[in-house]
């Protein structure tokens, strides 16, 4: 059944198979890790939360340097190495017995996961033609959700057993998932990133290499705008379950229903949603629409606080969840294209590592921010959060236009992989006169 969510045969399907292996293990981990660390290891819940917050803060720093290394040395072998390292770190959780080892292992885990995400994006860019990347990423997201669903179901069996051996089996299975992913990635051809980087080295010999993305102010702004939209990440896993548990104690079962609804919708409709993205204008428009839909979703969740019959409350919460997943899919599809299309072809790994920092920021700051807004302020907090989504959605278009004006656009056919040769024509309008190349035959873009 899972093969229906996979892309067509080739490099993309191999990437999806590795993603599936990881995501099944991740579904097991996400389902059982909190109870394992609190009930089996014996850590206080507050310490687990503190450790994970610090870990993802540290991990957020790894994407850029490891992505840069992938650009320089090639992403395939680095992806294999990071998969193996992550598997070993997961296995180390089996012997964690106190807070300090837990914190160290969690920091290493977050670092490896952040780096692996950036390196995999560089690998995808090297093996998949630019015009096909958003569609492939949509397939990968569907595969991810399918694997998470399978892993969560298996994790539920471990939770039902509730014994130490059951929890240890979960972590062992997750570690084996990363080992299998590494073996699958070895089936891919050696990437062309090193040759691509050498071909472009003369373009910016004097520019700082490891920190180049940090000097790209338009791209930094795009990432920060995207990070605001990524505050949707803690909604499904944290905010909505807490909202239901505190406001409607008799409906706590609905949180799992909404999780299944979200997962199933992404599995079934993410690829279809991504077909609306063909270029930067369409991507920015889709992100803008996502901001609006997320605002409406927040307003619907806020409305659930009114006095309603139980069946009406369930209907309102379901409606809010449907709108939320629609906004999520549209934001994902648009942001994927924007993150890739604005990155220099010889620095895909570094730029994708930086773009992925938004996820780490949302994981680090999002739970506290969202919990304070929604649990303390109630319905006005929902409306304020929705307003943030709307503002970020509408800010993405101007930010993308600014970024597009200041970077190279390759004069190549859309079907040529990113490792292919391209001709760049300087744009005299760019800052510095001749500092930013632009394609000679790029048509005038429509407003977005």
């Amino acid at each position: 059944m899972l093969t229906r969510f996979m892309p067509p045969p080739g490099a993309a399907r191999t990437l999806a198979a590795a993603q599936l292996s990881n995501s099944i293990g991740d579904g097991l981990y996400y389902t059982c890790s909190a109870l394992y660390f609190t009930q089996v290891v014996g850590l206080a819940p507050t310490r687990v939360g503190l450790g994970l917050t610090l870990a993802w803060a540290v991990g957020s720093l790894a994407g850029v340097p490891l992505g840069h290394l992938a650009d320089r040395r090639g992403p395939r072998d680095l992806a294999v190495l990071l998969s193996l390292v992550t598997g070993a770190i997961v296995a180390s959780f089996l012997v964690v017995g106190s807070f300090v080892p837990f914190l160290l292992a969690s920091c290493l885990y977050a670092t490896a996961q952040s780096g692996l995400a950036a390196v995999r994006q560089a690998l995808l860019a090297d093996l998949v033609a630019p015009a096909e990347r958003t569609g492939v990423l949509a397939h990968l997201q569907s595969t991810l959700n399918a694997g998470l669903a399978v892993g969560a179901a298996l994790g539920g069996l471990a939770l039902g057993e509730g014994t130490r051996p059951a929890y240890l089996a979960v972590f062992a299975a997750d570690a084996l998932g990363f080992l299998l992913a590494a073996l699958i990635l070895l089936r891919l051809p050696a990437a062309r990133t090193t040759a691509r980087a050498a071909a472009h080295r003369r373009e910016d010999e004097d520019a700082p290499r490891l920190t180049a993305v940090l000097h790209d102010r338009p791209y930094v702004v795009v990432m920060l705008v995207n990070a605001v939209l990524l505050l949707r990440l803690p909604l499904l896993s944290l905010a909505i379950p807490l909202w239901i548990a505190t406001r409607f104690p008799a409906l706590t079962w609905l949180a799992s229903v909404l999780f299944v609804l979200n997962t199933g919708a992404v599995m079934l409709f993410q690829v279809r949603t991504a077909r609306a993205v063909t270029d930067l204008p369409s991507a920015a428009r889709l992100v803008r629409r996502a901001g609006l839909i997320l605002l409406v979703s927040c307003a619907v969740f806020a409305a659930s606080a009114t006095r309603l019959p139980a069946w009406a409350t369930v209907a309102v919460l379901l409606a809010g969840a449907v709108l939320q997943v629609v906004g999520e899919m549209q934001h994902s599809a648009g942001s994927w294209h924007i993150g890739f299309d604005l990155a220099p072809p010889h620095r895909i790994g570094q730029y994708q590592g930086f773009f992925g920092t938004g996820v780490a920021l949302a994981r680090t700051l999002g739970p506290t921010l969202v919990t304070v807004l929604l649990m303390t302020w109630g319905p006005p907090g929902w409306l304020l959060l929705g307003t943030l989504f709307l503002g970020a959605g509408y800010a993405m278009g101007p930010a993308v236009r600014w970024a597009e004006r200041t970077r190279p656009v390759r004069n190549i056919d859309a079907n040529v992989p990113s490792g292919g040769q391209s001709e760049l024509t300087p744009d005299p309008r760019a800052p510095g006169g001749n500092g930013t190349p632009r394609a000679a035959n790029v048509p005038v873009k429509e407003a977005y």
Side-chain angles (χ1 to χ4, degrees):
M1 183 188 76
L2 293 178
T3 56
R4 65 175 295 188
F5 306 111
M6 305 282 272
R13 176 165 287 192
T14 303
L15 287 169
Q19 177 89 300
L20 179 62
S21 176
N22 280 161
S23 60
I24 292 175
D26 285 341
L28 286 162
Y29 176 85
Y30 295 148
T31 303
C32 300
S33 58
L35 290 180
Y36 170 75
F37 291 127
T38 55
Q39 296 184 3
V40 176
V41 178
L43 299 176
T46 53
R47 286 203 145 195
V48 173
L50 174 63
L52 293 177
T53 298
L54 293 175
W56 285 110
V58 172
S60 68
L61 305 176
V64 170
L66 288 175
H68 177 78
L69 184 61
D71 292 332
R72 283 346 212 186
R73 302 297 181 186
R76 189 201 64 175
D77 292 344
L78 187 55
V80 170
L81 176 61
L82 286 173
S83 294
L84 294 173
V85 169
T86 308
I89 296 168
V90 171
S92 74
F93 285 128
L94 296 171
V95 296
V96 163
S98 60
F99 177 72
V100 173
F102 162 74
L103 178 61
L104 292 175
S106 296
C107 288
L108 291 172
Y109 174 80
T111 298
Q113 282 280 56
S114 297
L116 182 57
V119 172
R120 278 187 168 176
Q121 296 292 70
L123 184 57
L124 182 147
D126 214 73
L127 299 173
V128 178
E132 300 172 3
R133 288 175 191 161
T134 300
V136 170
L137 282 165
H139 278 290
L140 292 178
Q141 187 69 16
S142 296
T143 304
L144 170 68
N145 276 42
L148 288 174
V150 172
L154 296 174
L157 298 177
L159 290 177
E161 185 71 19
T163 62
R164 179 183 176 87
Y167 284 116
L168 296 182
V170 163
F171 281 86
D174 191 15
L176 289 174
F178 280 100
L179 173 60
L180 178 59
L183 295 176
I184 293 172
L185 290 173
L186 280 173
R187 298 172 54 192
L188 292 169
R192 297 175 291 271
T193 301
T194 304
R196 185 175 67 226
H200 287 269
R201 227 170 249 142
R202 287 191 300 272
E203 293 175 18
D204 49 6
E205 281 182 343
D206 297 329
R209 293 178 178 177
L210 179 59
T211 60
V213 66
L214 301 179
H215 293 261
D216 189 344
R217 287 178 294 175
Y219 198 87
V220 171
V221 170
V222 168
M223 187 280 288
L224 292 174
V225 170
N226 192 59
V228 175
L229 287 161
L230 286 170
L231 290 175
R232 62 176 174 77
L233 291 177
L235 290 181
L236 186 66
S237 61
L238 177 65
I240 294 174
L242 287 176
W243 178 259
I244 293 173
T246 55
R247 297 271 177 166
F248 320 105
L251 300 178
T252 52
W253 55 270
L254 187 59
S256 61
V257 173
L258 299 185
F259 181 85
V260 172
L261 170 67
N262 181 281
T263 302
V266 174
M267 286 166 54
L268 295 173
F269 300 113
Q270 183 68 77
V271 174
R272 184 180 303 178
T273 301
R275 290 175 187 151
V277 178
T278 56
D279 53 16
L280 280 173
S282 61
R285 284 196 302 271
L286 200 62
V287 171
R288 182 177 64 207
R289 194 179 308 155
L292 177 59
I293 292 175
L294 288 171
L295 167 64
V296 177
S297 171
C298 289
V300 171
F301 279 119
S304 70
T306 58
R307 291 181 177 272
L308 295 171
W311 66 267
T313 299
V314 170
V316 170
L317 291 171
L318 285 171
V322 169
L323 289 166
Q324 193 265 337
V325 73
V326 171
E328 172 188 332
M329 290 188 292
Q330 291 185 346
H331 169 232
S332 295
S335 64
W336 292 332
H337 189 96
I338 290 168
F340 266 113
D341 215 49
L342 293 176
H346 56 302
R347 285 187 170 140
I348 288 284
Q350 182 183 145
Y351 271 65
Q352 283 298 305
F354 181 71
F355 200 70
T357 303
V359 176
L361 287 174
R363 283 175 170 169
T364 304
L365 304 177
T368 300
L369 177 61
V370 168
T371 301
V372 169
L373 279 177
L374 305 185
M375 298 302 106
T376 304
W377 292 15
W382 276 110
L383 296 178
L384 178 56
L385 181 62
T387 302
L388 288 175
F389 288 142
L390 180 68
Y394 273 78
M396 185 62 84
V400 168
R401 287 197 298 272
W402 179 29
E404 190 183 19
R405 288 194 301 267
T406 60
R407 68 207 48 254
V409 177
R410 287 168 293 147
N411 182 16
I412 59 173
D413 184 83
N415 292 322
V416 177
S418 60
Q421 298 298 315
S422 62
E423 181 180 347
L424 297 172
T425 303
D427 182 1
R429 298 171 298 171
N434 59 0
T436 303
R438 192 157 184 88
N441 64 347
V442 175
V444 176
K445 301 288 187 183
E446 56 185 301
Y448 56 101

